[in-house]
Amino acid sequence: MKQKRLLTIQDYSCLGRCSLTEALPVISACGIECVGIPTAVLSNHTAGFKSWTYADLTDYLMPTIEHWKDYNHQFDAIYTGYLGTNQVPIVMKIIDELRKEDTIVMVDPAFADGGKLYLGFDNSHIEAMRELVRKSDIIVPNLTEACFLLGLSPEKVWSRLQIENMLVHLSHMGPSGVVISGLSFQEGRVGCLVYEKERNRMLLIETESYRGQYHGTGDLFASALIGAKINGFSLPGAVRIAHDFVHVAIGKTLQDKEPDLFYGVEFEKAIPSLIDALFRKKELIG
């Protein structure tokens, strides 16, 4: 069987586990060729370090695609992560040029958390991201991003039923699959709500939670999810694998006597569990 190939478009932080630093090894561990186009290169991630260097690669994006036109590249999936506002229209053009009938497009909005937009973003970025979402098959926002995309208050406390309605309304924007991660409806539990539009099915997938916040886990989750989906799992099955992988990664990190969370979770130690889940060839959720 021909090896699957995925294109991911997001930034690369040289030090600190996030974005391409996680996507490349995790997707590769899924048995998929991972082709990455960096939108920017940073000396280190921006969550915790006092300063960083930054090289904007916006002008590099389209020339890369143009260079590929002499070859018959086929991508089974295109996965987007953190993008600058000015990069979103370019990425939309890339999707239009590279997408085939069976290409899965997954968008991780990656622009807000904790009720607030990330530094440097404003309403123009939210609108740009709405346009990108319309081109997607799957989106994986956190609750804050879901609220912004729908024009709702990210600071309000929402019930499970209200969040389920959010997933349905997000699917009306274009994607057939919507996943909102990082939800807790019960003390000591954390999980994701998954909505499949074609089957009109809503599922909660959860595990016990660990106290604290862990940098880069959203990128880990998205990367493992798309890896499992390309391997033939249903969307809920892929979410189960990705959620469990992140859970194991946090647990492995906390086993250290003095875990250095500044650099992100030690996901490398959890990759064997991801491979085991993927290649059991057993659908976890139908």
Side-chain angles (χ1 to χ4, degrees), residues 113-176:
D113 200 5
K116 297 179 181 180
L117 292 169
Y118 290 156
L119 184 66
F121 289 152
D122 56 22
N123 287 335
S124 64
H125 188 82
I126 299 172
E127 187 52 46
M129 195 54 61
R130 287 175 182 145
E131 293 300 315
L132 181 58
V133 164
R134 290 186 177 98
K135 290 186 175 292
S136 68
D137 298 299
I138 302 169
I139 60 170
V140 289
N142 58 41
L143 182 56
T144 296
E145 291 160 346
C147 288
F148 277 124
L149 287 170
L150 292 170
L152 302 173
S153 170
E155 298 178 353
K156 181 178 175 180
V157 176
W158 299 94
S159 68
R160 175 171 172 174
L161 179 59
Q162 289 171 323
I163 296 173
E164 288 181 352
N165 287 333
M166 288 184 198
L167 274 82
V168 174
H169 282 92
L170 285 168
S171 74
H172 293 164
M173 297 175 68
S176 58

Side-chain angles (χ1 to χ4, degrees), residues 7-12 19-20 37-40 42 54 56-58 61 78-95 105-112 117-122 124-126 128-133 135 145 219:
L7 171 64
T8 184
I9 309 171
Q10 51 188 303
D11 64 288
Y12 184 90
S19 54
L20 277 175
I37 299 182
T39 58
L42 294 86
Y54 177 90
D56 187 339
L57 299 180
T58 302
L61 301 179
I78 300 172
Y79 152 38
T80 70
Y82 181 95
L83 302 171
T85 305
N86 63 320
Q87 294 172 336
V88 176
I90 300 172
V91 170
M92 290 171 63
K93 185 176 181 181
I94 290 172
I95 291 171
V105 175
M106 187 180 82
V107 171
D108 180 357
F111 67 85
L117 292 169
Y118 290 156
L119 184 66
F121 289 152
D122 56 22
S124 64
H125 188 82
I126 299 172
M129 195 54 61
R130 287 175 182 145
E131 293 300 315
L132 181 58
V133 164
K135 290 186 175 292
E145 291 160 346
D219 297 329

